[in-house]
Amino acid sequence: MENFFSINLTSEGSGTTGVEAVRYGRKFIGIEVNEEYLGISKRRLEKEIHG
């Protein structure tokens, strides 16, 4: 599944789909309109990427 990526159009939520995409080396686009969940997702993704 080379060049596979995930687009989450329903809501990013706490970032689980994005974190898993990063773990498996996949590209990811997530959309979230709720600022609280956006912050949670951003922190989780940054932790996964940068440790």
Side-chain angles (χ1 to χ4, degrees):
M1 292 189 1
E2 193 172 329
N3 298 322
F4 177 80
F5 66 92
S6 174
I7 301 175
N8 190 350
L9 297 176
T10 55
S11 80
E12 172 60 11
S14 63
T16 301
T17 303
V19 168
E20 290 301 312
V22 170
R23 286 182 182 166
Y24 287 95
R26 304 294 184 210
K27 296 178 181 178
F28 173 76
I29 298 171
I31 300 169
E32 179 56 66
V33 297
N34 182 301
E35 288 187 38
E36 181 178 354
Y37 282 110
L38 180 61
I40 293 168
S41 177
K42 183 177 177 183
R43 286 189 296 278
R44 289 187 69 204
L45 286 166
E46 287 175 347
K47 182 178 180 182
E48 186 65 35
I49 293 168
H50 302 294

